[in-house]
């Protein structure tokens, strides 16, 4: 199963796949952390990164579009990151 966004549908798809032992691959495109900073919501960035780590920990691989984004994900504790 490929999940593009950790939104409610993404969480539901992940839960469905994990319950059936089907591997989940997640792509990572939108840097929501930048939006949070732009809108003055930087105070919730630790929560954001925590939730993102929890979500991506259930994926066999997280696929960002560039090394810069991969490094940012790794720097915030996301494991099993590979560029696609």
């Amino acid at each position: 199963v490929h999940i593009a966004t950790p939104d409610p549908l993404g969480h539901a798809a992940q839960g469905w796949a994990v319950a059936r032992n089907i591997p989940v691959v997640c792509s990572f495109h939108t840097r929501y952390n930048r939006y949070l900073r732009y809108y003055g919501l930087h105070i919730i960035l630790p929560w954001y990164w925590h939730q993102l780590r929890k979500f991506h920990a259930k994926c066999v691989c997280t696929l960002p579009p560039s090394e810069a984004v991969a490094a940012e994900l790794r720097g915030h504790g996301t494991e099993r990151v590979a560029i696609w």
Side-chain angles (χ1 to χ4, degrees), residues 51-71:
Q51 294 302 316
L52 201 68
R53 274 191 307 276
K54 273 182 28 180
F55 183 81
H56 287 279
K58 296 177 186 173
C59 301
V60 296
C61 188
T62 297
L63 302 168
S66 69
E67 184 55 47
V69 178

Side-chain angles (χ1 to χ4, degrees), residues 10-40:
H11 280 273
Q14 187 182 61
W16 179 88
V18 168
R20 289 161 179 76
N21 292 317
I22 298 171
V24 176
V25 174
C26 297
S27 54
F28 183 87
H29 305 279
T30 306
R31 296 168 102 174
Y32 292 108
N33 57 309
R34 301 254 174 131
Y35 288 101
L36 294 174
R37 284 191 187 284
Y38 179 81
Y39 288 108

